[in-house]
Amino acid sequence: MRFKIWFVLLAAVCILSACENNGTTNSSGKVVSSESEEMQTSNEEKHISDDMNEVISNYIIRKYDSVYYQTEKQFEVHEVYGTSESSGIITVYMYSYFGGFNKFSGLENQAGHSLPAVVRLKKKAAGYVVTEYTEPEDGSLYQSSLKKMFPKKYLDMLHNKSGTLEDLQKEMDNKVQQWLDE
């Protein structure tokens, strides 16, 4: 009888540990499972509209414009690894490159950053709005926060991001050059 009690307690602890490690808490305190989001992913994982891309870029530029105030113009470009949709919320798993520029320095980035991010969008009558924006934590919490943010298949893509930064740099240079030519 005592063996059965210990076995049931041990099984309960294992199940609770698995549930706890399988999800992450979003900004509203709701536990979201990356695996369940991964299963809800459509076949057109990477397809997001130009409007959605613009909303994401504008949101990130507004978020950081006061941080990089010493620059005349800020730009953001990103690579989408995939998307999922649940309850009308579109989750975008991506790598973002943000930069601030001045006309006198041309294509030379004066300030900025590049990092993985997760953006949640909701469709409104006037278009899309960002409902949540998440970046990984710094330092020793970086890897564990990435695991909470990204489903495994996108995390693998992030770790194998050959060419991502070079492609984003070219896209950024094109945007900045258009601005310089105005």
Side-chain angles (χ1 to χ4, degrees):
M1 181 67 149
R2 194 187 301 201
F3 175 75
K4 287 182 181 178
I5 292 172
W6 279 107
F7 180 76
V8 169
L9 288 174
L10 182 60
V13 169
C14 290
I15 291 170
L16 289 174
S17 294
C19 290
E20 182 177 289
N21 291 334
N22 208 15
T24 185
T25 305
N26 67 14
S27 63
S28 63
K30 178 180 161 192
V31 174
V32 178
S33 169
S34 294
E35 286 183 16
S36 66
E37 286 183 19
E38 185 175 358
M39 291 189 312
Q40 295 171 4
T41 302
S42 71
N43 289 334
E44 296 182 47
E45 299 175 332
K46 291 187 178 185
H47 180 71
I48 63 172
S49 68
D50 290 342
D51 290 342
M52 296 163 88
N53 279 316
E54 187 175 345
V55 166
I56 291 169
S57 289
N58 289 341
Y59 178 87
I60 293 170
I61 289 168
R62 279 192 311 276
K63 179 177 177 56
Y64 286 105
D65 68 350
S66 63
V67 175
Y68 301 113
Y69 62 89
Q70 71 275 18
T71 59
E72 293 174 53
K73 183 83 171 163
Q74 298 83 32
F75 299 92
E76 190 276 341
V77 294
H78 52 267
E79 178 180 340
V80 174
Y81 294 127
T83 62
S84 64
E85 184 171 358
S86 178
S87 303
I89 301 294
I90 300 163
T91 303
V92 180
Y93 304 96
M94 59 182 238
Y95 194 89
S96 172
Y97 172 35
F98 172 88
F101 297 85
N102 293 316
K103 289 221 178 203
F104 73 86
S105 57
L107 293 176
E108 186 179 327
N109 191 339
Q110 298 301 296
H113 63 262
S114 63
L115 47 77
V118 175
V119 178
R120 293 193 184 354
L121 300 168
K122 183 171 181 92
K123 178 81 168 148
K124 298 282 187 175
Y128 291 92
V129 294
V130 174
T131 61
E132 187 176 348
Y133 175 79
T134 308
E135 295 175 351
E137 296 185 49
D138 290 336
S140 64
L141 298 175
Y142 183 80
Q143 289 300 327
S144 62
S145 64
L146 279 180
K147 287 180 182 178
K148 290 178 183 177
M149 291 170 53
F150 285 83
K152 183 171 177 9
K153 68 180 175 180
Y154 302 138
L155 192 58
D156 290 344
M157 292 170 76
L158 176 64
H159 290 313
N160 298 321
K161 62 176 188 263
S162 62
T164 297
L165 293 176
E166 294 83 14
D167 293 342
L168 290 177
Q169 182 65 54
K170 289 176 188 172
E171 189 176 345
M172 180 69 79
D173 288 349
N174 289 337
K175 281 188 170 189
V176 174
Q177 191 60 56
Q178 286 178 332
W179 171 64
L180 292 170
D181 292 342
E182 292 176 353

